[in-house]
């Protein structure tokens, strides 16, 4: 089964381009709102997954908050209509310029990752006569069982503050006059499909909360569990919406929130991955001695995930219903890593056929580059073509 695409409309558009299915995005947002709403949880969309302005506007209109990792992301979110009161700002290397801008916008919270960073936020807030709200990113040392390059919650990773150091760090922050510690922040990794990793995170947070209550006598009003819910890259047509029901139920079942405490999450990939597809055209079919190659006009400059993370994207020939043949599907870039898929079964393919690289809405368009002086891919919504 292939995805349902308006191929007659695609015929007129220069390839490669991103195509976003607004209906599917809306259904995904509805599911997030319904399932998180059951427990009063607040979702902040992780903008790093895709900062396309039109998508940001749809996501902010749906009532989600935003999770940003740069000053420019904060700015893009304000411009796309996210209320500053729903914006959180994370990242290990926030610059003074980015902090100052976010302070001037009165964002909800800085997810801080180190003592020097909190000290700088305190200093810059003092200069503005403000008090900044800060949540501390804790490294919970939980294995997300995902790709090494997208595992973030282990002691060896650069993110967050290690558990053993936390009580001391909290005491220090409490002594700073221009920051208020309002929560704890966690993020263990991305493309997590085994929910038991989130159960482990809950257990770690429960233990940590018990410890902070008994040693320091504190309970913080916000717990932020980050993002990470994975999607089904193999079967985007059968399972287009991630299982948000089970995801949020896991936290409701295993996390012991204290009275008045609010749970925040930061889904990125699970919000936008399935609604996005990279549409490309076949430039050549090349027959070698052992392999047949489909050479696309899209390359890793348009979608870098396969080259960067060895990730799988389903590939469909939208122009052919002929019998299946086996191809390596590659791009035109002068690097041997410019491969979208090896030994893939595609309907018999010829020059000019339209090809869809599925599930490309997250970490696709936003990671595009101009290497080889290529043009950046354009993007179209289903509602505008
Ligand atoms: N929150 C933080 C702090 C992150 O680092 C990331 C991804 O790197 C996310 C949220 C979004 O993760 P995902 O796209 O897997 O939901």
């Amino acid at each position: 089964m292939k995805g349902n695409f308006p191929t007659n409309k695609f015929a007129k558009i220069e390839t490669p381009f991103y195509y976003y299915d607004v209906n599917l995005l809306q259904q995904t947002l509805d599911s997030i709102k319904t399932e998180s709403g059951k427990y009063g949880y607040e979702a902040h969309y992780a903008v790093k997954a895709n900062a396309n302005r039109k998508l940001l506007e749809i996501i902010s209109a749906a009532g989600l908050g935003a999770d940003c990792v740069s000053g420019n992301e904060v700015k893009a979110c304000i411009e796309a209509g996210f209320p500053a009161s729903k914006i959180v700002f994370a990242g290990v290397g926030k610059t003074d310029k980015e902090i100052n801008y976010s302070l001037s916008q009165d964002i909800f919270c800085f997810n801080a990752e180190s003592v020097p960073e909190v000290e700088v936020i305190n200093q810059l807030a003092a200069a503005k006569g403000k008090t900044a709200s800060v949540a501390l990113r804790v490294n919970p040392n939980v294995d997300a069982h995902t790709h090494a390059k997208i595992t973030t919650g282990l002691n060896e990773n650069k993110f967050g503050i290690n558990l053993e150091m936390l009580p001391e760090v909290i005491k220090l922050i409490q002594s700073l006059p221009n920051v208020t510690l309002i929560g704890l922040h966690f993020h263990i990794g991305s493309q997590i499909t085994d929910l038991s990793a989130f159960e482990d995170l809950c257990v770690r947070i429960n233990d940590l909360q018990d410890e902070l209550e008994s040693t320091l006598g504190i309970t913080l009003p916000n717990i932020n569990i980050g993002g990470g819910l994975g999607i089904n890259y193999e079967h985007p047509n059968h399972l287009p919406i991630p299982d948000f029901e089970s995801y949020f139920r896991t936290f409701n079942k295993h996390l012991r929130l204290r009275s008045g405490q609010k749970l925040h999450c930061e889904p990125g990939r699970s919000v936008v991955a399935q609604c996005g597809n990279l549409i490309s055209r076949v430039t050549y079919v090349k027959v070698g001695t052992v392999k047949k190659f489909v050479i696309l006009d899209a390359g890793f400059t348009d979608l870098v995930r396969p080259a960067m993370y060895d990730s799988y994207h389903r590939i469909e020939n939208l122009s052919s219903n002929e019998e299946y043949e086996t191809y390596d599907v590659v791009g035109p870039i002068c690097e041997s890593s410019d491969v979208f898929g090896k030994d893939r079964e595609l309907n018999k393919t010829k020059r000019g056929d339209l090809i869809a690289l599925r599930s490309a809405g997250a970490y696709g368009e936003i990671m595009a580059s101009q290497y080889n002086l290529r043009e950046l891919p354009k993007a179209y919504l289903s509602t505008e073509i």
Side-chain angles (χ1 to χ4, degrees):
M1 176 174 150
K2 290 189 214 174
N4 197 7
F5 292 102
T7 39
N8 53 331
K9 293 182 178 165
F10 287 176
K12 292 175 262 155
I13 304 175
E14 191 186 351
T15 50
F17 62 89
Y18 276 90
Y19 172 72
Y20 296 107
D21 179 342
V22 173
N23 246 338
L24 179 57
L25 174 60
Q26 204 63 60
Q27 285 171 29
T28 307
L29 291 166
D30 289 348
S31 174
I32 295 172
K33 290 295 281 182
T34 306
E35 299 306 330
S36 63
K38 283 181 183 167
Y39 314 110
Y41 299 164
E42 188 164 331
H44 304 256
Y45 166 61
V47 178
K48 65 166 75 68
N50 190 324
N52 179 299
R53 169 69 183 254
K54 292 168 193 164
L55 298 189
L56 289 184
E57 284 172 4
I58 294 170
I59 296 167
S60 73
L64 270 69
D67 161 42
C68 301
V69 289
S70 73
N72 282 347
E73 283 192 359
V74 175
K75 189 157 178 276
C77 286
I78 302 266
E79 287 170 2
F82 287 92
S85 60
K86 286 188 176 179
I87 295 179
V88 298
F89 180 14
V92 291
K94 302 177 190 76
T95 64
D96 293 19
K97 184 177 168 191
E98 292 175 314
I99 295 170
N100 271 325
Y101 173 71
S102 305
L103 284 169
S104 72
Q105 296 297 318
D106 294 321
I107 64 164
F108 170 59
C109 182
F110 290 85
N111 290 333
E113 309 226 8
S114 68
V115 171
E117 180 195 328
V118 183
E119 286 171 341
V120 169
I121 295 173
N122 179 62
Q123 242 175 41
L124 298 176
K128 288 187 183 307
K130 294 192 173 195
T131 305
S133 293
V134 165
L136 261 188
R137 178 160 175 181
V138 180
N139 186 334
N141 201 21
V142 168
D143 192 344
H145 303 294
T146 183
H147 192 284
K149 285 191 184 146
I150 47 176
T151 291
T152 54
L154 291 172
N155 277 344
E156 68 213 51
N157 300 127
K158 71 178 173 185
F159 301 101
I161 288 167
N162 289 348
L163 282 171
E164 312 79 66
M165 298 166 70
L166 197 61
E168 278 315 301
V169 174
I170 289 179
K171 275 195 249 169
L172 186 131
I173 292 175
Q174 286 178 324
S175 72
L176 299 174
N178 290 81
V179 291
T180 309
L181 184 60
I182 65 159
L184 298 175
H185 176 229
F186 306 83
H187 173 76
I188 56 174
S190 200
Q191 185 49 18
I192 297 168
T193 49
D194 174 0
L195 292 181
S196 69
F198 293 119
E199 288 180 28
D200 293 347
L201 174 63
C202 291
V203 171
R204 210 43 71 80
I205 297 174
N206 290 338
D207 291 349
L208 181 60
Q209 294 229 77
D210 288 344
E211 191 196 322
L212 293 180
E213 279 165 0
S214 64
T215 56
L216 300 179
I218 62 161
T219 308
L220 296 167
N222 297 285
I223 299 291
N224 185 333
I225 46 149
L229 179 63
I231 64 138
N232 195 313
Y233 282 98
E234 276 79 19
H235 303 291
N237 300 315
H238 298 104
L239 298 164
I241 301 182
D243 185 0
F244 292 109
E245 185 188 356
S246 303
Y247 172 71
F248 288 115
R249 192 171 357 98
T250 300
F251 289 96
N252 182 250
K253 188 164 168 207
H254 297 280
L255 187 63
R256 281 189 284 113
L257 284 184
R258 305 330 199 221
S259 140
Q261 216 168 32
K262 180 141 190 131
L263 187 99
H264 302 256
C265 62
E266 302 171 338
R269 184 192 311 270
S270 55
V271 184
V272 289
Q274 296 290 32
C275 76
N277 302 275
L278 178 60
I279 308 297
S280 173
R281 221 175 256 288
V282 177
T283 311
Y284 302 108
V285 177
K286 171 173 160 175
V287 181
T289 49
V290 280
K291 293 241 178 190
K292 272 186 284 192
F293 296 95
V294 167
I295 303 171
L296 300 181
D297 60 7
F300 74 51
T301 50
D302 306 292
L303 177 63
V304 77
R305 297 187 68 255
M308 192 163 168
Y309 304 124
D310 298 319
S311 60
Y312 176 91
H313 287 266
R314 190 179 152 84
I315 303 173
E316 295 170 357
N317 185 333
L318 306 182
S319 311
S320 166
N321 282 320
E322 291 186 52
E323 75 284 7
Y324 283 96
E325 297 199 353
T326 306
Y327 302 97
D328 279 11
V329 181
V330 304
I333 295 163
C334 300
E335 300 283 344
S336 43
S337 61
D338 193 24
V339 176
F340 288 117
K342 290 198 166 161
D343 299 322
R344 295 298 188 92
E345 299 286 301
L346 290 186
N347 296 98
K348 189 171 171 30
T349 298
K350 61 182 183 317
R351 172 173 161 83
D353 283 355
L354 277 174
I355 301 289
L357 293 144
R358 306 295 312 278
S359 316
Y363 308 104
E365 186 188 350
I366 193 66
M367 287 179 127
S369 74
Q370 291 201 289
Y371 182 51
N372 284 191
L373 263 193
R374 286 170 54 80
E375 284 175 27
L376 288 174
K378 298 222 167 38
Y380 301 94
L381 268 52
S382 52
T383 43
E384 63 186 10
I385 62 167

